[in-house]
Amino acid sequence: MVNFVYPEELYLFVESIRPFQVRDVGTAKWLEVHEMVIKLSQQAALELTQNREEEVKEFLISRDKLRLLIHEAYCVTLWKTRVLPHLLEIDPNPQATFLIYTVLYHEASVVALLDVCLYHPSGCETLQESVMDLVDYCAQAVAQVIGLVSMGYHENESKMDVDEAVLTELERQKRDLIYKIGLRCISILNYLADKIDLFHLSAARRMLVTHDIPWLMVDVLCFRPWQRKTSKGLQKFIDEKWTNVDDSAKIVKPEAQAWFCVRQLLLNSQAMENYAMNEARCKQLSKLMGLMHETLLDQLPPLIDLKQFLSRLTLSGNTAAKSQTLLLEDIPQIQEELMKEVEKDGGFYQIAQAQDSVFLSKNREDICALASRLSGAYGTELLCELEQNLEDLKLGEAQDTQAGGDAEPDHNSCATCQAKAKKKCANCKQVYYCSRDCQLKDWPEHKTACLKK
């Protein structure tokens, strides 16, 4: 059985997760933990895909690691928004950007693990006061996605060539990850809304009053960041990638999660005690009525209750202002603690200068050694093998349903060296390679045909 993390390694990997400060990002110890987080994220996704027992989730929850994951997400966010700009001022065109991308990808992997764990009530129960920080983080991430969509970012097909400026490519990668993280945060907010009764009252207030999550989700449903029109036709964001679809009415996961999040909050009478239905909010929520067509309700029947609620709201109008009860509210602590450590280190610019030798190194030997190490951590060969196994399984199922026809050849030849090959190009699915090296050698010739697919 294929694994990214074997059972005997799992305890060590989970126990190795610990909080870092902004100054530690990119250090040797940080990279060690990063490699483990990457593999845990891949293993968790594999367990879900193959319907296995979710051991990664169980270990993270039982060892109380979710707060540390939230801490890591905030740490990278501060580094990305406050330290990285200073680094790029020092050297606008760094020789190698993969270490910078590694830091950005670390945040996406951490959020993916939180997404897996918080689907379960036991995961939400372990959050305790850190739920306040998580609500702040997710609300900000979703708002960033709305901002990108409003600028038409997701409609712009990537036509980057390798000769374009490094900074432009880095910015594209950064925005792509912001997009993926934001869509995952829609799911996390839905899980928190569904389990809101497990948290302190201040968590509900944080969601409904501080960030007005129902209003935010209405904007998400109106902007539809999971859908775009391209030269290839209509595409939807399915399984972390853009996929061509024929049925425009098909509901994808982020869309369903956004709808359920609104439903869980608006139909929770206890949580809504602090949510005054003023004229602006009534007008905003009424936008949902125009989106609730029959096809949507057929696919998501629980939304029928929400439609009835919105219909009554439209008829009754805004309710009287509710008296504000005195509430001792918890204050998010994780970001504040990180900021205090940054101040002790002399501020973000001082940290950027200290990290100059790490992220802007021009030593080719160090760069190559680090690239080789990270390539092994990401398990690219194993990912290709898993993808090929899935393709073979689909092919086998298709052949079983056929009454006859030509049989597939026993093996395929590598396009570069003609050796026996089992791995396909991940984009076009047409050309076979025996190894990653052969694929890279053939890329200059294969690129033109591949990008047309």
Side-chain angles (χ1 to χ4, degrees), residues 383-432:
L383 285 170
C384 290
E385 180 182 343
L386 286 170
E387 184 174 353
Q388 186 59 46
N389 288 341
L390 289 173
E391 291 291 329
D392 292 343
L393 180 61
K394 293 176 183 178
L395 181 60
E397 291 174 350
Q399 289 177 342
D400 289 341
T401 60
Q402 294 176 353
D406 297 332
E408 286 286 316
D410 292 337
H411 68 270
N412 297 281
S413 299
C414 174
T416 303
C417 67
Q418 307 306 315
K420 185 177 179 180
K422 293 183 178 180
K423 300 168 186 175
K424 289 181 183 177
C425 171
N427 184 56
C428 69
K429 312 289 186 188
Q430 301 294 322
V431 180
Y432 286 82

Side-chain angles (χ1 to χ4, degrees), residues 188-205:
I188 293 176
L189 285 173
N190 175 46
Y191 302 149
L192 297 181
D194 187 37
K195 313 295 190 308
I196 198 169
D197 296 332
L198 297 175
F199 308 123
H200 190 271
L201 289 175
S202 55
R205 184 176 177 82

Side-chain angles (χ1 to χ4, degrees), residues 250-291:
K250 180 181 178 182
I251 305 298
V252 293
K253 180 182 174 181
E255 183 176 7
Q257 300 284 16
W259 277 112
F260 286 140
C261 183
V262 175
R263 180 188 181 278
Q264 307 303 346
L265 291 174
L266 295 184
L267 300 187
N268 188 321
S269 57
Q270 183 177 353
M272 291 293 288
E273 284 296 320
N274 292 316
Y275 194 72
M277 282 292 182
N278 54 39
E279 183 178 353
R281 283 173 172 165
C282 289
K283 184 177 180 180
Q284 175 76 350
L285 292 173
S286 67
K287 295 178 182 179
L288 296 177
M289 291 296 292
L291 303 175

Side-chain angles (χ1 to χ4, degrees), residues 44-229:
L46 183 63
E47 290 172 351
L48 281 176
T49 303
Q50 299 186 351
N51 295 318
R52 298 192 203 171
E53 183 179 353
E54 296 180 56
E55 295 182 351
V56 173
K57 178 265 296 181
E58 292 294 340
F59 267 91
L60 287 170
I61 293 174
S62 64
R63 304 307 301 171
D64 197 19
K65 294 293 182 178
L66 299 195
R67 187 184 190 280
L68 296 184
L69 293 178
I70 298 170
H71 179 282
E72 284 300 283
Y74 263 113
C75 181
V76 174
T77 298
L78 285 175
W79 185 91
K80 173 178 66 180
T81 56
R82 308 293 293 276
V83 176
L84 180 57
H86 289 308
L87 286 170
L88 296 177
E89 286 177 3
I90 296 171
D91 184 357
N93 291 294
Q95 187 168 342
T97 60
F98 62 84
L99 183 55
I100 296 175
Y101 178 79
T102 295
V103 178
L104 303 179
Y105 190 72
H106 184 79
E107 181 185 6
S109 299
V110 165
V111 173
L113 286 173
L114 287 169
D115 187 9
V116 170
C117 294
L118 294 175
Y119 173 79
H120 304 272
S122 57
C124 292
E125 288 174 351
T126 62
L127 289 176
Q128 299 181 4
E129 72 279 357
S130 64
V131 68
M132 308 291 286
D133 298 273
L134 183 58
V135 170
D136 287 359
Y137 175 84
C138 290
Q140 180 183 3
V142 174
Q144 285 182 315
V145 170
I146 294 173
L148 288 175
V149 175
S150 66
M151 295 187 296
Y153 174 75
H154 74 313
E155 297 287 357
N156 297 330
E157 294 181 73
S158 177
K159 296 181 180 178
M160 296 282 183
D161 193 32
V162 292
D163 295 329
E164 288 199 36
V166 173
L167 183 57
T168 303
E169 176 67 11
L170 181 62
E171 184 64 22
R172 183 188 67 81
Q173 293 172 339
K174 179 181 173 183
R175 292 189 180 186
D176 284 347
L177 287 173
I178 288 174
Y179 209 83
K180 292 180 180 180
I181 289 170
L183 291 180
R184 278 198 180 272
C185 284
I186 294 173
S187 296
I188 293 176
L189 285 173
N190 175 46
Y191 302 149
L192 297 181
D194 187 37
K195 313 295 190 308
I196 198 169
D197 296 332
L198 297 175
F199 308 123
H200 190 271
L201 289 175
S202 55
R205 184 176 177 82
R206 199 81 181 173
M207 294 187 73
L208 291 166
V209 179
T210 305
H211 295 292
D212 203 342
I213 298 301
W215 185 298
L216 184 66
M217 288 300 160
V218 172
D219 283 341
V220 169
L221 289 164
C222 291
F223 278 105
R224 302 175 65 82
W226 45 78
Q227 178 176 306
R228 69 179 185 180
K229 294 180 181 178

